Amino acid sequence: MGGGERHNGMIAQVLAADGLDVDLIGHSDVDLDALGSHLGLDLSGCRYRRLPDRGEDAIAALSESYHLFVNGSYMSRLAPRSPRSAYLCFFPTPFDHDMAAWRKAAVRTAGPLLRGVSPAVSFGQGWYPPEGGRRRQWTWTNGEGILAVNPGGGRTLRADIGRPGASGAVRLRVVDADGTVLAKLQIDQAFAPFEVTLPSSTAGTELTFVSDVFSPGVADVRELGVAVSRPRVTDADEGPLERMALRFPWLLRDPADLGYLEGYDTVMANSEYTRGWIRRMWRRDSDVLFPPIQVDRLTPAPEREKAVITVGRFFAPGLGHAKRQLEMVQWFAELYRTGALPDWRMYVVGGCEDSQKPYVEQVRAAGAGVPVEVLPNAPRAEVERLLSTSSVFWSATGYGEDDRKRPWTAEHFGMTTVEAMAGGCVPVVIDRAGQREIVRHGVDGYRWTGPEQVASFTRRLAAEDGLRSRLAAASVQRAQQFSDAAFAERWHGIAEQRRLYS
């Protein structure tokens, strides 16, 4: 329930307010009232439609029954079949961005031969990020991991399954979407090959890997079921190209295969930064639909706490666009210990999945002995209170990365920066990517290029109350340009220009 979900949810809210019948589609159980409450949305005019996770082809087939289909999934290659459609792009990250160089070369050589072939098996809900080395990679379930398998007949699922690091064996059940147990397997520590015969299906199959879990302990507090490596499917009707794709599914991640985009009436970028990279990577223009920010829910407190706050999802570097909380805590600790920020404190706030708990503990350890509070998964009301009472906001997403070679590691927009500004915090943010579209240097905040500037700007704001008050007032005014009302106006402009309702 983060920024991307709110961006999608606000489109649904505006569509419903315009009198359309709106379905929100997903693969997990969702309470729309709870979702709306957490994200500050009115979803009372919408319905939630939960689908078995059977891959993008199944959703593409479903899209044919709608007049307007809005795809807000990150790195999706779904080709819509609806009369009108829009693609909300958070960033045009290449599909092979996380591959070794030799695999990228293989993808770009074999990929054009495999266009039109769909991945036979893909990971759905209930999996942690992949791990391992060059010789073998694996993905852990959380006790109930879902694999989506494409339609076909005479199919067999093959995979190496193990529990590296576990103390003993576990029983694994492979369950079909209708609750039928297809296999009961004994899984030991070492990886071993397994085969599961699958029933014929014209709509695809959702398989759930169900097992007991264990926790590695110490810093790694994840609850782990079984680790799956090299999942693949064989099909009695497969041809030579299909066999190649089934054996080496990663060959299908050709970043130059952009045919799916032809079905969309518009691609919508979440910032000018993203728009520029869409033009460069996808060779097409896009409409900018900035994310909606709840500026009305944030009321700046007249008296500010001497505090630096940073807000963002906890990601260890190398996963997603890491927010660099560890480095920021280290910088604050240095400022505090040298006496540059006497009586100041720091709040580190953000969503945290189980897989990132070890990283949170690293952040906590870096702040030991100094006034740093690490608050994973804090209630929304508490986040808003801290944004409305703290004095300075820090953001370092993309620090240490080459955003010319890996532009997806930067902050594509910067929703929390706008929220902080609406709450009266003065932003001190990295001078990259989407932050440049929000913070006007010296007018309503500061943009920095290195840690020494973070320290310099923050020391100045701490010492000069008048400067801090002036920039805070300008920040509040600047944030209004990204309000929910401004979002609805931008959406209606795009919908009219692209005739999405007609």
Side-chain angles (χ1 to χ4, degrees):
M1 295 192 290
E5 287 74 23
R6 188 167 203 277
H7 205 156
N8 279 291
M10 181 56 72
I11 294 176
Q13 175 179 308
V14 174
L15 288 169
D18 289 342
L20 282 73
D21 294 326
V22 182
D23 286 351
L24 285 165
I25 299 172
H27 298 309
S28 56
D29 290 328
V30 173
D31 183 328
L32 280 191
D33 290 337
L35 180 69
S37 175
H38 184 86
L39 297 178
L41 296 171
D42 178 8
L43 300 177
S44 59
C46 307
R47 296 178 298 268
Y48 181 71
R49 188 170 182 180
R50 183 186 184 279
L51 300 179
D53 193 347
R54 293 172 178 164
E56 290 195 327
D57 285 351
I59 303 176
L62 178 71
S63 71
E64 194 169 3
S65 63
Y66 291 93
H67 169 75
L68 170 63
F69 180 78
V70 181
N71 183 0
S73 306
Y74 181 53
M75 293 182 68
S76 170
R77 359 180 31 149
L78 189 153
R81 303 178 192 174
S82 53
R84 291 286 184 271
S85 57
Y87 188 113
L88 177 58
C89 179
F90 299 107
F91 198 79
T93 306
F95 298 108
D96 63 350
H97 75 282
D98 56 350
M99 288 186 178
W102 70 271
R103 285 200 171 192
K104 287 184 179 182
V107 165
R108 299 186 187 207
T109 300
L113 301 174
L114 298 173
R115 290 183 183 176
V117 178
S118 300
V121 59
S122 56
F123 291 95
Q125 303 288 318
W127 301 88
Y128 291 100
E131 57 188 83
R134 290 192 62 179
R135 295 188 63 183
R136 181 188 293 278
Q137 288 193 334
W138 59 85
T139 307
W140 285 98
T141 74
N142 64 4
E144 290 191 17
I146 295 175
L147 283 181
V149 180
N150 271 4
R155 300 166 303 165
T156 301
L157 172 70
R158 291 181 168 87
D160 297 345
I161 308 176
R163 304 185 89 210
S167 58
V170 72
R171 295 288 292 176
L172 169 66
R173 292 182 298 124
V174 181
V175 184
D176 203 349
D178 61 5
T180 302
V181 178
L182 302 180
K184 295 181 180 180
L185 309 174
Q186 179 85 1
I187 307 301
D188 296 305
Q189 282 184 302
F191 282 100
F194 290 91
E195 296 184 1
V196 178
T197 301
L198 305 179
S200 298
S201 172
T202 58
T205 304
E206 180 184 73
L207 304 176
T208 305
F209 283 37
V210 182
S211 70
D212 290 337
V213 298
F214 77 100
S215 178
V218 193
D220 190 346
V221 294
R222 294 176 298 170
E223 296 289 320
L224 306 178
V226 298
V228 177
S229 177
R230 304 168 183 163
R232 54 207 182 275
V233 171
T234 57
D235 191 308
D237 300 325
E238 67 200 27
L241 292 180
E242 285 76 14
R243 280 198 296 272
M244 183 186 297
L246 291 168
R247 181 65 184 88
F248 306 107
W250 48 270
L251 287 174
L252 298 174
R253 292 166 61 182
D254 180 7
D257 184 5
L258 301 173
Y260 61 92
L261 291 175
E262 299 305 316
Y264 291 95
D265 295 285
T266 177
V267 172
M268 301 179 297
N270 61 351
S271 66
E272 289 289 350
Y273 175 74
T274 298
R275 183 187 189 189
W277 281 99
I278 289 173
R279 188 180 296 117
R280 180 172 174 176
M281 291 180 167
W282 290 355
R283 296 180 178 85
R284 65 176 292 167
D285 200 7
S286 56
D287 297 308
V288 176
L289 184 65
F290 290 120
I293 312 300
Q294 297 173 272
V295 297
D296 295 339
R297 289 183 55 163
L298 292 151
T299 304
E303 298 294 327
R304 314 296 298 196
E305 183 181 5
K306 293 181 178 181
V308 171
I309 183 172
T310 182
V311 181
R313 192 171 299 181
F314 287 94
F315 280 119
L319 297 173
H321 49 298
K323 307 298 183 180
R324 299 289 177 174
Q325 290 98 336
L326 178 60
E327 287 86 348
M328 286 189 285
V329 168
Q330 292 169 339
W331 300 339
F332 178 84
E334 177 68 17
L335 283 169
Y336 184 83
R337 289 178 177 131
T338 58
L341 293 178
D343 302 322
W344 278 64
R345 64 190 308 105
M346 182 178 192
Y347 297 106
V348 185
V349 185
C352 177
E353 299 175 0
D354 288 346
S355 62
Q356 297 307 307
K357 287 180 179 178
Y359 178 68
V360 170
E361 294 308 313
Q362 280 186 280
V363 176
R364 279 204 175 98
V370 294
V372 173
E373 290 189 43
V374 181
L375 304 169
N377 298 324
R380 180 66 192 174
E382 178 66 4
V383 177
E384 291 176 355
R385 185 189 70 79
L386 292 172
L387 289 173
S388 298
T389 56
S390 298
S391 296
V392 175
F393 173 82
W394 281 2
S395 178
T397 307
Y399 175 72
E401 299 280 0
D402 187 339
D403 58 1
R404 292 166 299 179
K405 295 181 179 179
R406 291 166 49 83
W408 49 88
T409 60
E411 193 70 80
H412 311 150
F413 176 66
M415 296 179 70
T416 55
T417 298
V418 179
E419 289 181 328
M421 294 169 74
C425 290
V426 178
V428 178
V429 300
I430 193 167
D431 187 18
R432 291 187 181 183
Q435 302 285 14
R436 293 174 174 172
E437 300 170 45
I438 301 169
V439 179
R440 297 169 297 181
H441 186 74
V443 176
D444 40 44
Y446 293 111
R447 301 199 307 263
W448 55 266
T449 57
E452 67 285 347
Q453 289 186 329
V454 178
S456 175
F457 294 143
T458 305
R459 283 197 302 265
R460 185 178 177 189
L461 290 168
E464 301 181 33
D465 290 341
L467 172 66
R468 191 172 71 247
S469 296
R470 176 171 61 80
L471 292 180
S475 294
V476 173
Q477 291 301 313
R478 175 66 169 167
Q480 307 308 309
Q481 298 184 29
F482 305 100
S483 66
D484 287 355
F487 176 90
E489 184 176 348
R490 289 190 187 99
W491 165 262
H492 285 135
I494 294 170
E496 181 177 358
Q497 180 183 5
R498 304 301 179 183
R499 303 185 65 191
L500 297 182
Y501 291 8
S502 65

